[in-house]
Amino acid sequence: QVQLVESGGGSVQVGGSLTLSCIASGYTSNLKFMAWFRQAPGKEREGIASIYIDGGGRLYADSVKGRFTITRDDNKNTMGLQMNSLNPGDTAMYYCAAAAEPNRWSLSASAYKYWGQGTQVTVSS
């Protein structure tokens, strides 16, 4: 089993920045890729950024490309999300996710088996 714990959420004004972190514990050696998802009230969960652990390949949703950067520190089993130029449309609960099946790398929620509890990000004008 793998446990994921997010941190770093909070409230920020439009144009501001925030950095999220996700710490993975448990049987992490089997993980193939990790990702950040977000879900706003009344909307579906959206995959916004993913990183392939071996090789460091990255995927980004168009909605965050150029503003968000996904990072990973293998030594600390942590994943980060640097978020810049935030706007009210980025307000959501942000979730960390991880998967151990190598052939399903994508931003689709169905590809991920392990999920954190989420951390709230609120952007106000």
Side-chain angles (χ1 to χ4, degrees), residues 38-46 91-93 95 120:
R38 67 185 182 185
Q39 188 167 19
K43 294 188 176 181
E44 291 189 358
R45 190 167 295 192
E46 174 192 19
T91 295
M93 185 71 79
Y95 298 91
Q120 178 69 37

Side-chain angles (χ1 to χ4, degrees), residues 36-40 43-49 61-64 89 107 109:
W36 287 98
F37 286 75
R38 67 185 182 185
Q39 188 167 19
K43 294 188 176 181
E44 291 189 358
R45 190 167 295 192
E46 174 192 19
I48 56 173
D62 289 343
S63 58
V64 305
L107 289 174

Side-chain angles (χ1 to χ4, degrees), residues 51-108:
I51 187 165
Y52 205 89
I53 293 172
D54 289 336
R58 291 166 169 82
L59 297 173
Y60 291 99
D62 289 343
S63 58
V64 305
K65 198 174 294 183
R67 300 188 299 124
F68 292 10
T69 302
I70 189 170
T71 61
R72 176 168 165 81
D73 184 338
D74 289 339
N75 291 332
K76 298 179 180 179
N77 265 341
T78 61
M79 178 179 66
L81 185 69
Q82 174 65 43
M83 304 185 294
N84 298 324
S85 301
L86 287 163
N87 60 65
D90 296 315
T91 295
M93 185 71 79
Y94 283 68
Y95 298 91
C96 171
E101 296 181 24
N103 299 321
R104 299 189 64 196
W105 186 35
S106 73
L107 289 174
S108 171

